[in-house]
Amino acid sequence: MAAVITTVGLAFLGYLATYLNGLRLAQKQARLTRVNLQLSEFYGPLFALMEANSRVYDTFSERYARPDGRDPFRHDIPPTEHELAEWRTWAGTVFIPNIQAMRDVVVSKADLLIEEEMPQVLLDLCAHVSGYEITAAGWAHGNYDEHLSLIPFPGQELRRYTRERFALLKSEQARLLGHRTRPRR
């Protein structure tokens, strides 16, 4: 009788171990699926758009830098009509479409946020885009009184946010896939 109880007990423990291991693997797979979605549909696109926008803005700033190195919008002397016309071209072709794409990612994929609440930097981005849409609508009607969004771009904070979240998720993805991660320098 003791042998039967031992056999049944060991079988139960084996079943329990198999069940718990299967549950752990399913949870790990579900987490990996979510991390992959967060990277491919939210943080990856947001990061890529932010980096592209920053690099193009840096190029604009270098191309139209004043003798002291500052761009026309960060200078004591107001931009010239030529600089403003160039800005409208760059903004209408690259900057506004990029920030609209960033806003669209935030609005349509908010369920993939790491945080439980919408971060202020993303709300600031959405407001900035709306402000630029008002400015661009004026340009479309020949009104060039304004050249910037009514709401400042949260550039440094947004760049930091996208880089940190992207790196965090890439690290978690590597861990879930069983890859060893190298320490960051």
Side-chain angles (χ1 to χ4, degrees):
M1 182 70 160
V4 170
I5 293 174
T6 301
T7 302
V8 169
L10 288 174
F12 177 74
L13 287 176
Y15 167 79
L16 184 60
T18 301
Y19 171 78
L20 292 174
N21 188 51
L23 181 62
R24 184 186 63 78
L25 289 174
Q27 289 171 334
K28 182 178 177 181
Q29 182 58 46
R31 180 65 191 141
L32 178 60
T33 298
R34 177 155 174 84
V35 166
N36 287 339
L37 276 173
Q38 287 174 305
L39 284 167
S40 67
E41 295 186 17
F42 191 90
Y43 292 99
L46 196 60
F47 175 73
L49 287 164
M50 182 64 204
E51 288 298 312
N53 210 56
S54 294
R55 291 174 187 181
V56 174
Y57 184 82
D58 290 346
T59 300
F60 172 85
S61 295
E62 289 169 14
R63 177 176 267 187
Y64 296 99
R66 300 289 174 78
D68 63 2
R70 293 185 291 168
D71 75 54
F73 293 101
R74 293 189 176 124
H75 204 276
D76 303 332
I77 301 168
T80 66
E81 286 303 316
H82 173 72
E83 290 168 333
L84 292 173
E86 287 297 309
W87 174 255
R88 289 189 300 271
T89 299
W90 286 62
T93 306
V94 178
F95 302 129
I96 294 173
N98 276 354
I99 62 174
Q100 286 172 325
M102 286 185 237
R103 187 249 342 252
D104 293 347
V105 167
V106 170
V107 170
S108 67
K109 302 293 182 176
D111 62 310
L112 296 173
L113 280 167
I114 292 173
E115 298 85 1
E116 290 184 22
E117 293 185 16
M118 182 69 71
Q120 187 62 46
V121 68
L122 298 180
L123 295 173
D124 293 344
L125 167 67
C126 292
H128 173 75
V129 174
S130 295
Y132 245 125
E133 288 171 336
I134 299 284
T135 301
W139 297 344
H141 292 96
N143 179 351
Y144 304 121
D145 292 341
E146 296 291 332
H147 279 82
L148 301 175
S149 174
L150 304 172
I151 294 146
F153 184 61
Q156 290 180 345
E157 188 180 355
L158 184 60
R159 196 170 197 188
R160 183 174 42 256
Y161 174 84
T162 58
R163 280 182 173 183
E164 287 174 1
R165 298 314 185 279
F166 184 79
L168 177 75
L169 286 169
K170 287 301 288 180
S171 178
E172 184 173 358
Q173 182 187 50
R175 182 186 58 76
L176 289 166
L177 290 170
H179 302 148
R180 293 182 185 258
T181 56
R182 292 185 294 266
R184 297 190 75 140
R185 295 180 195 198

